[in-house]
Amino acid sequence: MNRTLASFLFSIILVLGFVPGTLLGADWHPEDDTFDPTIHSVVIGNASWIGDPSPFVHTGTSRTGYTYVNSTNYAGMDPSVQLSLMVPLKPGEAAPPAGGMLMLDANQTETLLKAFAKAIESKPTDKVQRSKVETALKDAEWALSVDSDQDARFLQLENKTKDKVDTYRFSVNASKKLVGAIEHSLKKLTAEANK
């Protein structure tokens, strides 16, 4: 093997070594129901999203957005699981039309996980009550509800502010993936607290 070819192959291997845990959109599927903590980012369309995100539809704009879940330990707050709901910008927009963030301490996270489990396991004919989601942020009004549309069932996170309600609609499979991400961050949060 000549030196130039060996150098080229080494360069390719080196570059590939710097992108572990990155998936292209073709490898990531929106209906996957399993969270993979080894994925550091995903390229979907023209954008890169952190981690292994769960897709949702922001009902006010009909745009598909993506989640990012991680454990945090900000000064002045209890260690928390942070759930970010990110709605992409369209070309020319200065700010996204909507987006949200839930900060949940360990107990609040466990309560949310139980609410998600109950909603996921419900049958389409079951009446699942809208449940308030307690968060670590004062004045944040969040709720979890179940809805259906043309025989499809959805779980919805709703954020009420002074003048509107933003609704983030997840398929059942996207909800399962989100639960996996939240459970993973809760384990990290618990491990860090026990150090």
Side-chain angles (χ1 to χ4, degrees):
M1 183 181 299
N2 72 32
R3 209 174 192 166
T4 306
L5 182 58
S7 176
F8 175 74
L9 289 175
F10 177 75
S11 297
I12 294 294
I13 292 168
L14 188 63
V15 167
L16 291 175
F18 284 118
V19 291
T22 299
L23 285 180
L24 297 177
D27 299 325
W28 177 90
H29 195 276
E31 283 302 309
D32 181 19
D33 66 357
T34 307
F35 174 71
D36 184 349
T38 64
I39 297 172
H40 301 293
S41 65
V42 176
V43 177
I44 304 167
N46 296 330
S48 179
W49 300 92
I50 302 170
D52 185 11
S54 291
F56 61 84
V57 173
H58 176 255
T59 60
T61 60
S62 298
R63 290 188 201 176
T64 299
Y66 301 93
T67 60
Y68 175 62
V69 183
N70 65 318
S71 58
T72 63
N73 193 359
Y74 296 127
M77 290 186 72
D78 289 336
S80 300
V81 170
Q82 176 182 332
L83 166 55
S84 299
L85 302 158
M86 301 173 288
V87 178
L89 288 169
K90 280 190 174 178
E93 284 183 329
M101 181 179 69
L102 290 85
M103 297 289 286
L104 307 155
D105 66 26
N107 291 332
Q108 292 164 340
T109 302
E110 288 173 0
T111 301
L112 179 63
L113 286 170
K114 287 176 188 171
F116 261 104
K118 183 177 179 180
I120 288 169
E121 292 167 8
S122 67
K123 296 181 178 92
T125 55
D126 292 346
K127 288 214 174 211
V128 180
Q129 281 196 320
R130 185 176 181 272
S131 57
K132 186 175 180 183
V133 177
E134 297 290 339
T135 72
L137 296 175
K138 290 181 180 180
D139 303 326
E141 289 190 44
W142 285 91
L144 177 66
S145 66
V146 177
D147 195 14
S148 59
D149 184 17
Q150 298 178 352
D151 298 326
R153 200 162 42 95
F154 301 97
L155 280 70
Q156 300 182 147
L157 284 170
E158 302 167 359
N159 181 25
K160 183 179 179 185
T161 56
K162 291 178 186 175
D163 53 350
K164 63 178 180 168
V165 175
D166 282 305
T167 302
Y168 307 90
R169 178 177 271 193
F170 293 82
S171 70
V172 171
N173 283 352
S175 299
K176 290 178 181 178
K177 178 183 270 199
L178 179 58
V179 164
I182 293 169
E183 288 172 339
H184 177 74
S185 290
L186 180 59
K187 284 179 191 170
K188 285 174 61 179
L189 192 70
T190 304
E192 290 163 9
N194 292 331
K195 282 184 182 178

